[in-house]
Amino acid sequence: MPPSPPLRERTAGPAAPPDAVPPDPPVADSGRRRPERAALLRRIGLRVLALAVLLGLWQTVTALQLWSPVLVPSPAAVWQALLETSGTHDGVRGYQGHTLVEHLGISLRRILLGAGAGVAAGLVLGVLMGTLPWVRVVLEPAVAFLRTLPPLAYFSLLIIWFGIDEAPKLWLLAIAAMPPVAVASASAVASAPTALVEAARAIGARRRQVVTSVVLPSALPEILVGVRLAFGIAYSSVVAAETVNGLPGIGGLIRDAQRYNQSDTVVLGLFAIGVSGLLIDAALRLLSDRLAPWRGHT
C-alpha cells in the first residue's frame, strides 16, 4: 500500500504566504443607509404634503370670500407683496426704501447682537449659580423674575433710559434671551455627574479644571438647548423691539403695514420671520449635534 502524501500536498490550491492578512468582511453600508434614506424621503414628503394642504385650504377660504381680503389676504396677494417688496416697482424701492431682505437682515443683526450678549451673560450667570450655592440663592429669584416678564412690560422703561435708537432694542433682546440660558446652565452644571467630579478632584484637578474639563462638557447638551430657546424667544420679541423706530427692520415693516391695513404685507412679514426662524433653529440644532455628538447616547 503506497504511503499517503503529506498533508501539504493534499491541500487544494496554493498555500497562502505566512504574513498574508485575511481580507476584511464587506461592510453593509448600503443596507443600513437605505432605510435611513427612505425615512428621510418620507419625512420630506409628509412635510411637502402638509404644506400643500395648508396652501390649498388657504386658497379655498379666500376664493369663497368668507372674509374680506383686508382681513384674510389670498396667497396671490401675499406673493405680489413679496415681489413688490423685493425690488423696485413704479419707482418705489422695496418697502419704505428697503427691500424685504434688507429689513430681515437688519432684524437678524439686532437679534445676533442682542441675543448673543444675553446668551453670554446667561452662560456666565448659569455657571456661577450652578457651582456656587450662595450665588444661586442671591440671583435665582432675579432670573426667575425676568423670565416671567413679557418684553413689552419693560420696553417702555428701556426707551426712557436709552432713547429710541438701537440701544433699547438690543437691551430688550438681551434681557429676553438671558434667563433661559441661565436657568438651563445652572441646572445642567448642578447636576453634573458626582463620580466624575470626585475622580477629577482625586487626581489633583483644581476647581477651575474640574469646571472646564468635567462639568461644562457634561452640561453642554442642556446648555445648547437653552441657547436654542433663548434665540427663539429673542426672535419672537423682535416685533416688540421694533415697535418704536423699527424701520428698517422686519418687525417695523409689520408694524407700519398694520397701520395702513396692508394685511398682505403683514402676512409676508410673518412668513419671513417664521421661515428665517426655522433656518436659524436648524442651524443651531446642527451646531448642537456637532459640539455635543454624545447627546442622547449617554
Side-chain angles (χ1 to χ4, degrees):
M1 182 173 181
S4 59
L7 181 62
R8 191 169 43 235
E9 297 177 4
R10 294 201 307 263
T11 304
D19 56 347
V21 179
D24 295 332
V27 180
D29 283 341
S30 59
R32 286 199 301 266
R33 291 178 181 175
R34 203 172 292 121
E36 296 177 359
R37 191 179 299 113
L40 177 61
L41 291 176
R42 280 196 301 269
R43 288 197 299 268
I44 295 176
L46 286 175
R47 290 175 180 176
V48 172
L49 178 62
L51 180 60
V53 170
L54 289 176
L55 288 176
L57 291 175
W58 183 11
Q59 179 62 39
T60 302
V61 168
T62 55
L64 294 176
Q65 296 183 351
L66 300 177
W67 292 280
S68 169
V70 176
L71 299 179
V72 183
S74 65
V78 176
W79 177 259
Q80 183 62 32
L82 172 63
L83 297 179
E84 292 177 356
T85 56
S86 299
T88 302
H89 292 270
D90 298 330
V92 179
R93 185 174 185 271
Y95 188 91
Q96 299 291 342
H98 295 82
T99 64
L100 179 66
V101 174
E102 292 172 349
H103 284 290
L104 186 60
I106 291 172
S107 294
L108 291 178
R109 175 183 172 275
R110 290 167 178 161
I111 291 172
L112 180 62
L113 294 176
V119 166
L123 179 59
V124 173
L125 290 179
V127 172
L128 292 176
M129 290 166 60
T131 55
L132 301 175
W134 67 270
V135 175
R136 184 164 193 154
V137 172
V138 172
L139 295 181
E140 191 172 36
V143 173
F145 177 79
L146 288 177
R147 190 162 59 95
T148 58
L149 285 179
L152 284 176
Y154 49 83
F155 188 46
S156 299
L157 186 60
L158 294 176
I159 292 175
I160 294 174
W161 287 351
F162 301 107
I164 61 173
D165 292 329
E166 289 295 298
K169 302 177 182 61
L170 299 180
W171 273 103
L172 182 140
L173 296 174
I175 294 173
M178 184 269 292
V181 180
V183 172
S185 302
S187 175
V189 169
S191 60
T194 307
L196 295 179
V197 174
E198 294 299 332
R201 290 174 178 171
I203 62 176
R206 297 180 179 180
R207 187 183 187 90
R208 184 180 64 181
Q209 293 173 328
V210 171
V211 172
T212 57
S213 301
V214 178
V215 175
L216 285 181
S218 67
L220 185 59
E222 191 171 345
I223 292 174
L224 293 174
V225 173
V227 171
R228 286 179 58 193
L229 291 175
F231 273 95
I233 293 173
Y235 213 130
S236 64
S237 304
V238 71
V239 176
E242 294 176 346
T243 53
V244 177
N245 195 24
L247 286 173
I250 195 66
L253 179 147
I254 293 174
R255 180 69 173 175
D256 191 74
Q258 172 260 325
R259 293 174 181 170
Y260 300 103
N261 290 332
Q262 297 176 342
S263 57
D264 50 356
T265 305
V266 172
V267 173
L268 175 63
L270 295 177
F271 273 120
I273 292 177
V275 172
S276 57
L278 287 176
L279 295 177
I280 291 175
D281 187 72
L284 291 174
R285 192 184 307 121
L286 179 62
L287 179 63
S288 176
D289 293 339
R290 293 289 180 87
L291 295 179
W294 61 88
R295 180 169 58 93
H297 300 284
T298 56

